[in-house]
Amino acid sequence: MATVSPQVESRAAELLRRLTPAERLRMLAGDRDLYRDMLDAAGPERTAPLYSAAGAPRLGLGGLLCVDGPRGVARGVSTCFPVAMARAAAFDYGLEERVGEAIGREARAHGANVCLAPCLNLLRHPGWGRAQETYGENSQHIGEMGAAFVRGLQRHVMGCAKHLACNSIEESRFTVDVRVSPETLHRVYLPHFKRVVDEGVASVMSAYNSLNGEWCSQNHRLLTAILKEEWGFDGFVMSDWVFGIRDGVAAVNAGLDLEMPSRIFMDDRVAKALERGLVSQSRIDDAALRLIRQQVRFVSVGDGEYGAEIIACDEHRALAREAAAKGVVLLKNEPVPRDEGDGPGRPLLPLDPRSIRRVAVIGRLADVPNTGDRGSSHVKAPYVVTPFAGLRAALTPFGVDMVHDDGSKSERASAVAAGADVAVVVAGYDYRDEGEYMGRFPPAGFEKLLPRPPLRLVPKALMAAARLRRGQGGPLQGGGDRRSLTLHQAEEMLIESIAAANRRTIVVLVCGSAVLMERWRHAVPGILILWYAGMEGGHALADILLGARRPSGRLPFAIPTSADHLPSFDPDAAVVEYGELHGQALLDHRGVAAAYPYRFGLTY
């Protein structure tokens, strides 16, 4: 699908003609220093750079300047929005377009012109560590959410749809081969990517994994036959970072246009292959033209007002709060008598602050900043409103006594809950439980493929790799895939004890995908999913619990009653078969009821 005007195409062709053969080859890889970036990623503090590529200064082409951004700009201080899964729960495409536009504006304010978002991989199994970065289990919904995000984002910067394709296991992402039939691939795992391509996304990122026996970044069927020829994509295809390709010649011939963020395989081996006729000049020219075309297309995009005052401005903070509130999913809201002998009365929520004297907020996650994964999508927010802080700010003006307990000692927490009119238990996960995983760094055997580091960096590189393997790396070190879909056992026991101490108990779940809750969900009258709700999440929670906003979120996936009802999931798999059925469709096919079905959500 053509996305550029004849004028843009003519200008891009003119610039290509003025490039020397050597300059065209140089455009095919990023400018970063590989080993310096790897050391920075493993360090205690990680300041994401602008990843540059494809520039030609003598012709006025400034090149690509990339930042990550599924929930906000991953550079400096930026607005931290709720994760994509939380926004998917809002089922509000207009809202997602506004979030995309806000992220695009802040990306420009940080000096970028490419934002590495949205993530479009389908949630095949809730154990996937990066589930929070995508939009759920339904291909049509993923596509519409992604298209809305791109519409907003690309008013200011280029978007990048990732990771093509079938990338939904984290810990073996560098090595796993996903086997899927052509019919299932086109029917289940590709339509959402096509929807965003049709929307005009500027770039697509290939996945780390292999697909039907060929690495995605070197998969001619995927990148050329389907993406470029069948779908008519005229943007550029970039690799995933560092470990995205294994063979530069194979990648170029397959349709990859840009290796990121460093020149590892797109080096003199490609030039020699060109000389020997193993790579065609037309393929090199096509790659360079695609990189130039999108730069020309976006050179005049935007309103020209991108000062630092845009970043985390009042408008964007308000939008983050709105998005967080609209994404909250109310799963359970039963009536509870205040005193023995009273009738059932009205449902527990919303709370009436004028009739409450004391609220206990309990749990290890109740009063700590927790915005999600600390991998490539991590956003450094200027502040984070925790659940306890948000409730305290809303209830204190009414004279409500607020009490917090971290739940580390069950007897003490139960006593605190027993003395309150309402107990709110905040339970779930953080970046140590699920997220981008760098523990196998580099992937086994990959060091043999990398260029040798400068001698001065060898000791530091070895120490950095050892730290990452021991789980002592910097912010990129994450939890990876979830091996269990329940809460931690201590949290399940805490919920049971709090529910026994206070019948008016509300459980607030912080998570990126489905949580099995069969052990305790029938013991409490109130359950809602807050997700990783961003920097304004605590205020959004208070808005919902006190009725300032009516809950409107719905599940973007089904929550089963047992992990046995889901597709098989092995984070260590070398080969995995992807079938057509997953999520709600698989539950329906097996004739088993969900604990909470796809699109379930209560309101007041």
Side-chain angles (χ1 to χ4, degrees):
M1 177 182 178
T3 59
V4 299
S5 67
Q7 293 80 9
V8 167
E9 194 67 37
S10 175
R11 175 61 176 159
E14 176 192 350
L15 289 169
L16 177 66
R17 285 193 296 271
R18 295 171 61 188
L19 285 176
T20 67
E23 287 174 327
R24 297 178 193 191
L25 282 170
R26 280 200 297 271
M27 294 192 81
L28 308 190
D31 302 326
R32 300 293 301 180
D33 179 274
L34 168 65
Y35 285 100
R36 178 56 59 191
D37 274 1
M38 290 170 69
L39 289 173
D40 289 345
E45 295 294 332
R46 175 177 177 266
T47 301
L50 286 175
Y51 294 98
S52 61
R58 73 177 183 84
L59 299 182
L61 276 176
L64 308 174
L65 297 168
C66 308
V67 293
D68 225 306
R71 56 184 152 124
V73 180
R75 175 176 168 80
V77 173
S78 304
T79 304
C80 184
F81 290 92
V83 294
M85 191 68 81
R87 306 192 314 262
F91 281 83
D92 187 334
Y93 304 133
L95 174 65
E96 184 66 359
E97 185 172 340
R98 290 161 56 206
V99 170
E101 179 157 22
I103 292 174
R105 293 180 72 208
E106 293 200 11
R108 280 290 290 272
H110 279 291
N113 60 13
V114 181
C115 185
L116 305 175
C119 177
L120 299 179
N121 295 111
L122 179 145
L123 180 67
R124 177 180 171 271
H125 190 283
W128 178 34
R130 293 178 75 173
Q132 61 193 267
E133 292 187 47
T134 191
Y135 295 117
E137 71 176 41
N138 181 272
S139 178
Q140 182 178 5
H141 183 48
I142 297 168
E144 292 304 323
M145 287 293 291
F149 183 89
V150 165
R151 280 196 300 276
L153 184 78
Q154 292 198 158
R155 294 192 182 103
H156 306 281
V157 297
M158 299 175 232
C160 178
K162 60 185 188 183
H163 312 82
L164 189 70
C166 296
N167 177 255
S168 53
I169 298 177
E170 183 59 16
E171 293 185 26
S172 61
R173 58 180 172 160
F174 299 124
T175 56
V176 68
D177 180 35
V178 178
R179 307 284 176 85
V180 58
S181 72
E183 296 78 15
T184 297
L185 182 67
H186 280 272
R187 191 158 45 237
V188 179
Y189 294 98
L190 291 184
H192 34 289
F193 281 97
K194 184 179 186 301
R195 175 67 186 89
V196 175
V197 166
D198 289 344
E199 192 63 40
V201 71
S203 64
V204 168
M205 181 184 291
S206 61
Y208 284 127
N209 56 279
S210 65
L211 179 65
N212 292 327
E214 183 57 81
W215 301 111
C216 287
S217 57
Q218 300 167 198
N219 194 310
H220 186 274
R221 174 66 184 158
L222 183 65
L223 301 186
T224 296
I226 295 174
L227 177 61
K228 293 181 176 179
E229 295 176 353
E230 183 180 329
W231 296 354
F233 177 61
D234 61 7
F236 59 90
V237 181
M238 70 171 73
S239 73
D240 207 336
W241 259 226
V242 184
F243 308 122
I245 64 178
R246 270 71 170 176
D247 183 321
V249 174
V252 171
N253 284 334
L256 192 84
D257 304 307
L258 177 63
E259 178 184 18
M260 287 297 286
S262 309
R263 188 177 307 278
I264 304 173
F265 297 101
M266 297 291 200
D267 55 9
D268 58 356
R269 286 170 287 188
V270 175
K272 291 177 181 177
L274 181 63
E275 292 173 0
R276 297 170 58 192
L278 300 178
V279 174
S280 68
Q281 186 63 53
S282 63
R283 173 75 271 270
I284 300 297
D285 291 349
D286 174 65
L289 179 62
R290 289 171 178 274
L291 293 161
I292 296 168
R293 178 188 289 136
Q294 297 304 321
Q295 292 184 62
V296 174
R297 174 189 172 195
F298 280 85
V299 71
S300 60
V301 165
D303 58 18
E305 298 177 4
Y306 298 102
E309 68 278 1
I310 290 174
I311 299 170
C313 63
D314 290 346
E315 176 187 353
H316 293 177
R317 294 200 304 270
L319 180 60
R321 181 170 179 168
E322 178 187 352
K326 286 185 174 179
V328 171
V329 180
L330 181 62
L331 297 180
K332 190 175 183 182
N333 186 23
E334 294 182 345
V336 182
R338 180 172 293 277
D339 298 306
E340 294 290 345
D342 288 352
R346 68 174 186 83
L348 178 57
L349 296 171
L351 301 174
D352 181 0
R354 294 164 297 185
S355 64
I356 298 173
R357 294 165 298 177
R358 174 174 291 186
V359 171
V361 183
I362 298 168
R364 66 185 179 90
L365 302 177
D367 199 28
V368 295
N370 185 17
T371 60
D373 178 30
R374 293 191 184 178
S376 58
S377 68
H378 179 54
V379 176
K380 185 177 180 180
Y383 60 85
V384 177
V385 181
T386 67
F388 177 71
L391 288 169
R392 180 177 57 194
L395 287 169
T396 299
F398 291 92
V400 177
D401 182 20
M402 299 295 299
V403 183
H404 168 247
D405 187 279
D406 66 7
S408 58
K409 295 184 178 179
S410 181
E411 290 185 5
R412 183 188 64 203
S414 296
V416 169
D421 296 297
V422 176
V424 178
V425 181
V426 182
Y429 311 118
D430 62 17
Y431 73 96
R432 293 166 292 191
D433 299 301
E434 55 182 359
E436 186 168 6
Y437 186 70
M438 292 295 291
R440 296 167 187 167
F441 183 85
F446 208 99
E447 61 270 19
K448 298 177 182 177
L449 302 177
L450 297 176
R452 293 182 180 275
L455 289 176
R456 70 183 187 281
L457 295 181
V458 168
K460 291 183 179 179
L462 291 174
M463 287 188 292
R467 284 200 304 273
L468 286 166
R469 286 196 175 98
R470 291 194 303 267
Q472 298 171 348
L476 270 178
Q477 183 69 25
D481 299 309
R482 276 195 282 146
R483 307 285 173 140
S484 171
L485 300 183
T486 63
L487 297 176
H488 296 291
Q489 184 177 11
E491 283 189 317
E492 291 196 318
M493 294 173 64
L494 176 67
I495 291 171
E496 290 174 322
S497 66
I498 299 303
N502 190 323
R503 292 178 300 162
R504 295 167 62 83
T505 293
I506 303 161
V507 176
V508 175
L509 290 174
V510 180
C511 55
S513 65
V515 177
L516 299 186
M517 51 190 98
E518 295 309 294
R519 175 172 172 174
W520 53 266
R521 70 183 175 100
H522 299 292
V524 297
I527 305 172
L528 56 83
I529 302 181
L530 179 63
W531 314 102
Y532 299 110
M535 59 188 281
E536 289 284 338
H539 288 321
L541 175 64
D543 290 341
I544 294 296
L545 292 185
L546 302 184
R549 285 185 181 272
R550 296 175 59 186
S552 58
R554 291 168 286 167
L555 288 174
F557 49 72
I559 300 179
T561 58
S562 170
D564 295 337
H565 300 159
L566 297 169
S568 62
F569 182 74
D570 178 8
D572 301 315
V575 178
V576 61
E577 297 277 348
Y578 278 15
E580 184 168 352
L581 297 179
H582 63 278
Q584 187 65 53
L586 181 59
L587 297 179
D588 293 343
H589 176 75
R590 290 179 169 174
V592 294
Y596 300 101
Y598 176 71
R599 295 194 70 153
F600 180 86
L602 304 174
T603 190
Y604 300 150

